[in-house]
Amino acid sequence: MNAGATVVPGSIHAYLEVMLTPDELERYARHIVLQEVGGPGQAALGRARALVIGAGGLGAPVLLYLAAAGVGTLGVIDDDVVSLSNLQRQVIHATPDVGMPKVESAAALIRRLNPHVAVEQHRVRLTAKNALDLIGRYDIVADGSDNFTTRYLVSDACYFARKPLVTAALGPFDGTLTTIRAHERGTDGKPNPTYRCLFPEPPPPGTVPACAEAGILGALAGVIGSMAALEVIREIVGFGEGLVGRLVMLDARAMRFETLRYGWDPENPLSGEQPTI
């Protein structure tokens, strides 16, 4: 059954029996009873292919919650290995995994959590040469990378591959989250904003200290990563108001959320009136 197809009320149980096994019916029961998700929404999750950039502080909760939700195929890109200092926030890895490639450690836990989910490991660094090919294999991308170079690369590649992007970032005590659908237009007919409309240029080198220098509150990664997973699920199922054109910001010191609205910049170099990328 295609997404959006009509299900006759009396046939819902038959529909679910065809689409989901008894084990899956029990596993996803709390989703299925939600009017906004239901059987069709759970089936959409099962068909979806999501790519997660990074199996670190943000990628860990994204992968865990997408796996728990029953997203059919999860791809994970990371070329790093697990270190002891990762375990303070990267909850998909454990002490025995130190020294193991992160994609392998993540895949092992995902399979333990939900054997119905297929995991595709990409132990590579995302580059301009492989980004379009890798991103083009998936329906939606969640970016949990820890550097501006990768964030701009991912957002640009998603634009050219015409894929929705949920992108999150962390500071020591703050985090941000937004959704980019720059390949589409809004209800006003204008192009949706790109990541470059929100952040035209990365900060000068050396002005933003790395995590190892500045530190990071471990649980903050879990909060923002879980919100990113929720936004991916919402995008796949198609309920509620998404974060296109809205940047959610969390100040963990004050436990305060704020939302910044942003729009398409006609001077942005990706989809502006005179694109240069």
Side-chain angles (χ1 to χ4, degrees):
M1 181 175 293
N2 296 327
T6 300
V7 178
V8 178
S11 68
I12 186 65
H13 294 296
Y15 164 74
L16 291 176
E17 288 174 2
V18 171
M19 297 299 297
L20 301 173
T21 66
D23 176 74
E24 289 174 305
L25 284 172
E26 181 175 358
R27 180 183 291 269
Y28 306 127
R30 302 304 186 273
H31 271 177
I32 293 169
V33 298
L34 291 172
Q35 183 177 359
E36 293 83 357
V37 181
Q42 191 59 52
L45 289 169
R47 293 191 300 268
R49 293 176 53 82
L51 178 65
V52 179
I53 313 295
L58 288 168
V62 171
L63 287 164
L64 287 174
Y65 274 105
L66 293 186
V71 173
T73 302
L74 290 176
V76 54
I77 298 178
D78 202 307
D79 67 342
D80 201 4
V81 299
V82 180
S83 65
L84 195 59
S85 63
N86 295 151
L87 305 184
Q88 165 253 14
R89 64 200 178 281
Q90 299 181 18
V91 293
I92 203 167
H93 313 296
T95 303
D97 302 325
V98 171
M100 180 185 296
K102 287 185 178 180
V103 292
E104 293 183 15
S105 174
L109 186 52
I110 290 169
R111 294 186 183 109
R112 286 172 54 202
L113 175 62
N114 191 347
H116 300 288
V117 174
V119 186
E120 297 177 350
Q121 303 175 38
H122 305 286
R123 192 185 175 191
V124 297
R125 179 172 292 276
L126 199 70
T127 67
K129 292 183 178 180
N130 63 20
L132 276 175
D133 174 59
L134 288 169
I135 288 172
R137 304 177 196 179
Y138 295 87
D139 303 316
I140 188 168
V141 177
D143 184 12
S145 59
D146 60 359
N147 64 86
F148 283 97
T149 299
T150 302
R151 287 180 204 139
Y152 281 94
L153 172 62
V154 172
S155 63
D156 291 351
C158 284
Y159 170 76
F160 289 114
R162 302 184 63 80
K163 305 293 182 179
L165 167 66
V166 176
T167 181
L170 296 173
F173 291 95
D174 59 279
T176 60
L177 175 68
T178 191
T179 295
I180 309 289
R181 300 185 72 103
H183 58 288
E184 299 174 347
R185 290 179 177 268
T187 56
D188 59 0
K190 293 182 179 180
N192 285 331
T194 73
Y195 189 77
R196 294 177 182 273
C197 297
L198 179 60
F199 301 111
E201 296 180 353
T207 58
V208 179
C211 174
E213 302 171 27
I216 186 170
L217 191 64
L220 175 64
V223 173
I224 299 298
S226 297
M227 291 172 61
L230 176 59
E231 181 67 357
V232 171
I233 292 169
R234 198 207 57 75
E235 284 284 320
I236 293 171
V237 177
F239 63 86
E241 180 186 0
L243 291 179
V244 173
R246 296 194 296 151
L247 178 72
V248 174
M249 301 173 287
L250 168 60
D251 177 356
R253 287 189 178 93
M255 197 53 74
R256 182 175 60 239
F257 286 90
E258 296 182 2
T259 301
L260 168 72
R261 290 192 176 272
Y262 64 100
W264 175 67
D265 178 3
E267 296 184 1
N268 88 79
L270 184 65
S271 66
E273 295 175 344
Q274 295 181 323
T276 57
I277 297 177

